[in-house]
């Protein structure tokens, strides 16, 4: 049985908007929604398209969708957008984490955001360079993409563990354990993928686990969609700034 627990914690550190006039605000939820719409659904379209043309088998690497025309155009566009969103939302995920756990004084959220940006940048690199073009560069981007996401998830999970302890609500615990399960699933897929690459596990283990890692990344960061109903991005102008001031 869950019950509310009152915990005294220092107030979250905020940056005031004193001296600024807010022009407009934008709900960040749409950005996280794009993780599913763009990142997963469009990738599914790419797979179905490639399968219908006979370009890939039932079990294939994700990067195999970026080899043949015409589906590789959509694939590269999709992965580039997903990587860009992963990169861009890293600051928001970091700030949300700090806000939810105001007592945290370590740099773990900052490092989590840094590795999330590395992962996002690497996904764009995977889209830009197919394995049949420069294999070493493609593999490097793939390792950075999955590795950066793995480290980022672990760091955020460690920080958010404190929220679960402090909040004591059913909802906080459910979200935390859902994220923890996603991270554990990602790490298991990463382990089996590595064993498949070393031919310790048979085909098509590595292909299945590569897709599993991708879905875990999308699901983990999409889970922050549950925390951002009241979070907005604002465009603001410094009060008193006059772009039309006459030149001397």
């Amino acid at each position: 049985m869950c019950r509310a627990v009152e915990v005294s914690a220092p107030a979250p550190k905020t940056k005031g908007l004193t001296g600024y006039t807010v022009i407009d605000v934008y709900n960040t939820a749409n950005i996280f929604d794009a993780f599913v719409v763009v990142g997963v659904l469009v990738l599914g379209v790419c797979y179905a398209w490639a399968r219908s043309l006979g370009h890939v088998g039932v079990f294939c690497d994700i990067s195999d969708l970026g080899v043949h025309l015409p589906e590789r155009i959509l694939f590269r566009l999709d992965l580039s957008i997903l990587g860009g969103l992963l990169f861009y939302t890293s600051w928001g995920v970091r700030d949300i984490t700090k806000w939810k756990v105001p007592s945290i004084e370590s740099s773990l959220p900052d490092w989590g955001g840094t590795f999330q940006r590395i992962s996002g940048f690497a996904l764009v690199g995977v889209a830009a360079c197919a394995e049949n073009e420069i294999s070493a560069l493609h593999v490097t981007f793939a390792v950075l993409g999955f590795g950066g996401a793995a480290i980022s998830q672990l760091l955020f999970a460690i920080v958010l563990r404190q929220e679960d302890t402090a909040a004591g609500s059913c909802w906080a615990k459910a979200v935390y354990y859902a994220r923890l399960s996603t991270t554990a699933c990602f790490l298991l897929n990463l382990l089996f993928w590595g064993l498949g690459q070393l031919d310790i596990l048979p085909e098509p283990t590595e292909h299945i686990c590569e897709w599993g890692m991708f879905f875990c990344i999308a699901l983990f960061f999409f889970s922050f969609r549950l925390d951002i109903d009241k979070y907005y991005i604002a465009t603001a102008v410094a009060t008193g700034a006059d772009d039309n001031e006459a030149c001397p």
Side-chain angles (χ1 to χ4, degrees), residues 88-221:
Y88 176 70
T89 56
S90 63
W91 286 276
V93 171
R94 178 204 62 187
D95 293 343
I96 290 171
T97 303
K98 286 184 174 181
W99 180 272
K100 288 169 68 66
V101 191
S103 60
I104 189 71
E105 296 294 341
S106 73
S107 59
L108 290 181
D110 296 302
W111 280 109
T114 297
F115 280 104
Q116 183 180 335
R117 286 190 288 278
I118 291 174
S119 179
F121 174 79
L123 282 182
V124 177
V126 170
C129 178
E131 190 171 7
N132 64 328
E133 294 172 340
I134 305 178
S135 179
L137 185 59
H138 175 86
V139 171
T140 299
F141 280 132
V143 170
L144 289 175
F146 286 126
I151 296 173
S152 178
Q153 289 183 50
L154 286 173
L155 293 177
F156 285 130
I158 291 171
V159 175
L160 292 172
R161 175 70 181 88
Q162 298 187 32
E163 184 206 15
D164 174 47
T165 302
S169 68
C170 292
W171 178 249
K173 289 180 181 295
V175 172
Y176 168 75
Y177 286 119
R179 289 195 183 114
L180 186 64
S181 299
T182 303
T183 300
C185 183
F186 177 91
L187 294 176
L188 284 175
N189 276 284
L190 180 61
L191 173 63
F192 293 149
W193 174 82
L195 294 175
Q197 289 289 318
L198 296 173
D199 293 327
I200 296 176
L201 293 178
E203 290 277 357
T205 301
E206 66 266 34
H207 307 305
I208 296 174
C209 291
E210 182 175 312
W211 284 88
M213 288 189 289
F214 175 85
F215 289 131
C216 286
I217 292 173
L219 182 60
F220 179 86
F221 290 108

Side-chain angles (χ1 to χ4, degrees), residues 11-34:
K13 298 177 181 179
T14 59
K15 295 182 179 179
L17 287 176
T18 304
Y20 293 88
T21 299
V22 176
I23 300 173
D24 204 348
V25 293
Y26 306 91
N27 195 323
T28 57
N30 295 333
I31 299 175
F32 287 85
D33 289 340

Side-chain angles (χ1 to χ4, degrees), residues 59 65 210:
F59 300 105
L65 303 177
E210 182 175 312

Side-chain angles (χ1 to χ4, degrees), residues 52-100:
S52 67
L53 296 174
H55 292 165
V56 297
V58 175
F59 300 105
C60 66
D61 288 337
I62 296 175
S63 57
D64 290 342
L65 303 177
V67 175
H68 301 284
L69 286 170
E71 70 272 6
R72 79 179 184 194
I73 298 174
L74 182 60
F75 169 79
R76 293 187 176 191
L77 179 63
D78 175 49
L79 214 61
S80 295
I81 293 175
L82 178 62
L85 289 174
L86 195 61
F87 186 96
Y88 176 70
T89 56
S90 63
W91 286 276
V93 171
R94 178 204 62 187
D95 293 343
I96 290 171
T97 303
K98 286 184 174 181
W99 180 272
K100 288 169 68 66

